[in-house]
Amino acid sequence: TSEQIEHLHRRFKQLSQDQLTIRKENFDSIPDLEFNPIRGKIVHAFFDKRNLRQESDGLADEITFEDFLTIMSYFRPIEMNMDEEQLDRFRKEKLKFLFHMYDSDHDGKITLQEYRNVVEELLSGNPHLEKESARSIADGAMMEAASICVGQMGPDQVYEGITFEDFLKMWQGIDIETKMHVRFLNVDTIAHCY
């Protein structure tokens, strides 16, 4: 809505310190991100050219307000008047955003190493969990992904990684539409996503 865009514009100005663009270091002032274990991935997602719907690959050095709106549009809540086709497109956009967070080398696949990195980051705040345990969790999840996406694999077969199509299969039945959204509370807080 126009009210939400105004809200986001105030937040953009606050983050950019009244500049025309935001740089990665501007995100250092967001208290909610300070202790988030995947803070780096979240910040990168804002500058990932794939999420900015640009033709090129890589990361942007800075983003404009329009870019900021593009990123925040991935977190808009569902609208009651959406038909099935719109809901499907809406869901795929959200999942593509998440997929890009995992696919750090931009090759179109989430490899075991990329998945291990995310799991290790997520669990890094737990002092009782060793790195080897985090790797085992990631390895088990990747084996589960392979069984969902490929089915029974032969002993000499290697699962190369999760493609976006695989990612869609894995998220089937999970209500991403209502979990990955923005709540507008007040200008002093950044949008919350679940």
Side-chain angles (χ1 to χ4, degrees):
T1 66
S2 58
E3 183 182 320
Q4 290 170 332
I5 291 171
E6 284 176 31
H7 214 72
L8 287 171
H9 191 255
R10 286 192 299 272
R11 184 60 178 153
F12 179 87
K13 286 176 68 172
Q14 185 182 35
L15 282 173
S16 71
Q17 300 167 349
D18 283 326
Q19 299 298 310
L20 295 176
T21 60
I22 291 179
R23 301 182 68 77
K24 289 182 193 114
E25 51 270 15
N26 294 115
F27 283 80
D28 293 339
S29 65
I30 303 174
D32 289 348
L33 277 180
E34 187 177 348
F35 300 108
N36 191 313
I38 60 167
R39 177 190 181 287
K41 292 211 176 298
I42 293 168
V43 172
H44 270 87
F46 274 79
F47 295 87
D48 188 328
K49 291 180 181 178
R50 297 172 298 177
N51 294 335
L52 296 171
R53 299 185 180 125
Q54 296 180 4
E55 295 299 315
S56 57
D57 223 5
L59 296 175
D61 293 327
E62 53 192 21
I63 58 172
T64 64
F65 178 62
E66 289 78 16
D67 295 331
F68 187 71
L69 282 181
T70 297
I71 296 298
M72 295 307 292
S73 73
Y74 292 104
F75 298 94
R76 69 188 187 278
I78 58 172
E79 296 169 23
M80 301 315 287
N81 61 348
M82 287 181 163
D83 62 29
E84 283 300 314
E85 186 179 316
Q86 289 170 318
L87 277 171
D88 186 55
R89 187 172 53 250
F90 186 73
R91 175 180 176 74
K92 283 180 180 171
E93 283 178 8
K94 287 180 180 284
L95 289 172
K96 190 69 125 170
F97 181 88
L98 284 178
F99 183 81
H100 291 158
M101 284 180 68
Y102 288 93
D103 179 24
S104 56
D105 66 1
H106 302 232
D107 71 348
K109 284 186 188 148
I110 301 168
T111 63
L112 176 57
Q113 190 55 52
E114 286 171 323
Y115 197 70
R116 281 177 176 167
N117 292 343
V118 172
V119 171
E120 286 172 9
E121 286 175 26
L122 281 171
L123 301 176
S124 64
N126 185 340
H128 305 293
L129 196 65
E130 295 177 14
K131 192 173 185 173
E132 199 53 47
S133 297
R135 288 185 134 217
S136 294
I137 291 168
D139 292 359
M142 190 59 89
M143 285 175 50
E144 179 72 19
S147 71
I148 290 170
C149 302
V150 179
Q152 189 65 32
M153 290 177 29
D156 59 338
Q157 247 182 315
V158 176
Y159 186 56
E160 306 239 343
I162 301 168
T163 63
F164 183 62
E165 290 72 30
D166 292 346
F167 200 70
L168 289 176
K169 286 180 197 172
M170 293 167 56
W171 281 85
Q172 198 167 9
I174 298 173
D175 185 16
I176 192 69
E177 296 86 351
T178 57
K179 293 184 184 331
M180 188 176 154
H181 70 277
V182 169
R183 288 186 305 170
F184 290 90
L185 300 173
N186 63 52
V187 131
D188 296 326
T189 59
I190 188 68
H192 294 276
C193 73
Y194 298 92

